[in-house]
Amino acid sequence: MANTEGRNQTSITEFVLLGFRDLPELLALLFLLFLVIYVVTLAGNILIVALVVADRHFHTPMYFFLGNLSCLETCYTSTLLPRVLASFLTGDNTISVSGCMTPFYFVSFFAAAECYLLAAMSYHRYSAICKPLHYAALMNTRFCLSLAAGSWINGFLAGIIVIVLMLQLTFCGPNKIDHFCCESTEMLNLCCNGTNQIELVITILAAIFTLPPFVLTMMSYVCIIFTILRIPSTAGRQKAFSTCSSHLIVVAIFCGTLITVYLLPKTNTLRDLNKVFFICYAILTPMANPFIYSLINHEVKEALKKLSVSV
């Protein structure tokens, strides 16, 4: 009996990602849609990184954080979408267990890093609007580097801890994952051994790496909103709100969907919407960020015009 159980637990060497198999008539359209999203995401984010590095006018704390965010988003999207596009083209939805763990680690890494990077950006906005006289002292080069490095290190630690836990698991049949990538809640459903402790640890980790930056961001924006409301001119208030609303929208979508997926009770409705939430925070947000933050910015537009003229 023990041997049979051992064979059952070690029999699975690959998973089948069901993805969009229930929409076979839309596979060609979905391929084109995801391809456009990937190309736009790469082009927008790489352009931001290039401008921040090459143009000295963008060597400021705001664009330093935006450059980090764009670099992170480029890596994040490149972890997920090439595999999805390849499965659309080849029809091969199988992936080895070890091959599943690698993108799973990087998704955990980049998601946690982005949470803290968005919190750092919200503190930058708070310093600029609520503490303008102390802004230069608060957002000095060393502190900005520390905030950015801390975000990347937090992401690295989150990924390491989660992947070490997942590598302790053994998987048995069925081997089908109702997702288009290796997502933790779906993988845990296929686990042979008990998952209660690991699910608890993952929930705690998700709370540690999402709730503190989310709370810090919300507190920053409460202070920002009160400060903006005290601005005497209507034009000044509108300008200040316009510069902050985009960041607040991104944080709400990104952190809100993460919290919904990983911290709220796993009801049937939330399970059915899991793929939708994943697309929101892992695919659509990286595509939208360059436009929300930079490409509609007057300074960036002028820099792009100068670049196009010089080319």
Side-chain angles (χ1 to χ4, degrees):
M1 177 72 72
N3 291 337
T4 303
E5 183 179 358
R7 284 194 300 271
N8 287 339
Q9 290 189 354
T10 59
S11 59
I12 287 185
T13 58
E14 62 182 21
F15 296 121
V16 177
L17 301 175
L18 297 181
F20 300 100
R21 278 195 173 184
D22 53 343
L23 301 170
E25 68 281 0
L26 296 178
L27 289 183
L29 179 61
L30 288 171
F31 171 77
L32 291 175
L33 176 62
F34 277 78
L35 180 62
V36 169
I37 289 174
Y38 185 46
V39 171
V40 170
T41 302
L42 285 185
N45 284 293
I46 291 174
L47 181 60
I48 297 304
V49 173
L51 284 176
V52 171
V53 172
D55 194 327
R56 62 183 180 83
H57 294 100
F58 297 115
H59 294 175
T60 63
M62 181 179 75
Y63 287 105
F64 170 73
F65 288 124
L66 285 177
N68 272 269
L69 181 64
S70 292
C71 181
L72 190 152
E73 301 286 35
T74 301
C75 299
Y76 200 169
T77 307
S78 296
T79 300
L80 294 169
L81 285 184
R83 175 67 181 77
V84 175
L85 293 171
S87 67
F88 282 139
L89 278 179
T90 64
D92 182 12
N93 296 303
T94 60
I95 185 170
S96 66
V97 173
S98 59
C100 215
M101 293 300 178
T102 302
F104 175 78
Y105 163 75
F106 283 108
V107 167
S108 303
F109 175 179
F110 296 132
E114 183 160 348
C115 285
Y116 277 88
L117 190 57
L118 290 172
M121 293 171 69
S122 71
Y123 179 75
H124 168 265
R125 302 280 174 130
Y126 164 80
S127 301
I129 294 175
C130 301
K131 306 285 184 181
L133 298 179
H134 304 283
Y135 173 77
L138 289 173
M139 301 307 297
N140 58 67
T141 302
R142 183 176 180 180
F143 185 63
C144 291
L145 288 172
S146 299
L147 287 178
S151 301
W152 288 93
I153 291 170
N154 273 315
F156 173 78
L157 292 176
I160 287 291
I161 295 170
V162 172
I163 199 64
V164 167
L165 290 173
M166 295 297 289
L167 288 173
Q168 309 304 312
L169 302 177
T170 52
F171 300 96
C172 47
N175 67 338
K176 294 178 173 59
I177 296 179
D178 187 18
H179 215 289
F180 50 83
C181 70
C182 301
E183 201 272 329
S184 62
T185 55
E186 296 293 334
M187 292 172 67
L188 289 175
N189 292 334
L190 308 180
C191 185
C192 301
N193 39 349
T195 61
N196 289 337
Q197 291 182 342
I198 291 181
E199 286 180 350
L200 177 61
V201 172
I202 289 178
T203 301
I204 293 172
L205 287 173
I208 291 172
F209 288 102
T210 57
L211 289 180
F214 182 72
V215 171
L216 287 172
T217 300
M218 292 301 104
M219 289 173 61
S220 296
Y221 273 99
V222 168
C223 296
I224 288 170
I225 289 171
F226 278 114
T227 301
I228 290 175
L229 291 176
R230 291 198 294 268
I231 296 176
S233 67
T234 303
R237 287 196 300 270
Q238 289 177 344
K239 182 178 180 181
F241 270 122
S242 66
T243 59
C244 297
S245 58
S246 58
H247 182 247
L248 190 58
I249 291 170
V250 170
V251 171
I253 294 173
F254 185 80
C255 293
T257 50
L258 278 177
I259 290 170
T260 302
V261 171
Y262 294 106
L263 295 182
L264 295 184
K266 304 298 187 291
T267 63
N268 290 331
T269 302
L270 288 181
R271 286 193 184 94
D272 293 338
L273 294 174
N274 198 7
K275 280 186 277 191
V276 176
F277 291 139
F278 190 87
I279 289 173
C280 285
Y281 73 78
I283 296 176
L284 295 183
T285 300
M287 180 185 68
N289 278 345
F291 299 95
I292 291 174
Y293 286 122
S294 302
L295 296 181
I296 60 174
N297 182 290
H298 177 71
E299 292 178 336
V300 175
K301 286 181 179 179
E302 290 299 317
L304 290 176
K305 286 180 183 178
K306 292 178 182 178
L307 180 63
S308 63
V309 170
S310 62
V311 172

